Amino acid sequence: MTDAADIHVTPVTPALAPAVRALRVAADQYPYVGDVTFNLIDAERDPLSDAMVILAGDEVVGFYRLDYAPTTVTCKPLEAAIGLRAFLIDRNRQGRGLGTRAIRACCEDIQRRHPDRRVLALNVNCRNVAAIRAYRNAGFVDSGELYFGGSAGPQHLMLRRLG
Ligand SMILES: CC(C)(COP(=O)(O)OP(=O)(O)OC[C@H]1O[C@@H](n2cnc3c(N)ncnc32)[C@H](O)[C@@H]1OP(=O)(O)O)[C@@H](O)C(=O)NCCC(=O)NCCS
């Protein structure tokens, strides 16, 4: 099933925050993303992080964080990179192509607001098949590096060129 709604992304505003806090993933998906309210508060108090909302038409369907200090994701300096974290689509809207399209919208937003950034970097758990597929579909490639620091098990470092 696909969802034809127009997808766009924008920084979380006070008006959008309650709908962001209401987003949920399945119980077995929380180890991959953590709690959305925690991520919202943590991103908002971090000057090097953006809290971002994914909208399908006017409806809030997802959330992610952009990290301008990408070593939180890459664990080593990577020139002109930006980190993507806590990317999620609400459990009631998953599996309809929204995640793949939201990643594309995320990349377009970065290119518009931060044209100096050349690479988008993320960590994804090796068991998270749906996320790996969505990221590949949206142009990410596996760097071949594995990170073992995550509490939910090893993670791939995936990279996507911007522009
Ligand atoms: C990962 C996530 C954002 C993907 O969003 P989505 O809207 O469900 O993804 P899409 O509908 O665009 O589908 C992406 C791909 O995954 C596949 N997929 C979806 N659910 C799947 C599942 N349970 N098992 C295997 N593949 C699955 C789809 O078939 C599609 O691949 P294809 O087009 O090659 O067939 C969403 O599932 C989610 O929020 N998961 C919980 C949080 C999470 O794990 N975030 C990632 C952190 S790194």
Side-chain angles (χ1 to χ4, degrees), residues 70-78 81-82 121-123 145 147 157 159:
T71 45
T72 51
V73 169
T74 62
C75 297
K76 65 178 184 192
L78 188 61
I82 189 164
L122 61 85
N123 297 132
E145 292 182 42
Y147 288 94
L157 170 65
L159 304 173

Side-chain angles (χ1 to χ4, degrees), residues 77-101:
L78 188 61
E79 199 182 335
I82 189 164
L84 175 64
R85 283 204 288 162
F87 181 83
L88 67 91
I89 297 290
D90 186 80
R91 65 181 171 193
N92 295 320
R93 304 296 290 269
Q94 292 177 13
R96 301 179 199 178
L98 295 180
T100 305
R101 290 167 57 207

Side-chain angles (χ1 to χ4, degrees), residues 126-138:
C126 297
R127 289 183 284 117
N128 197 349
V129 179
I132 291 169
R133 283 184 78 119
Y135 294 141
R136 282 207 181 115
N137 289 348

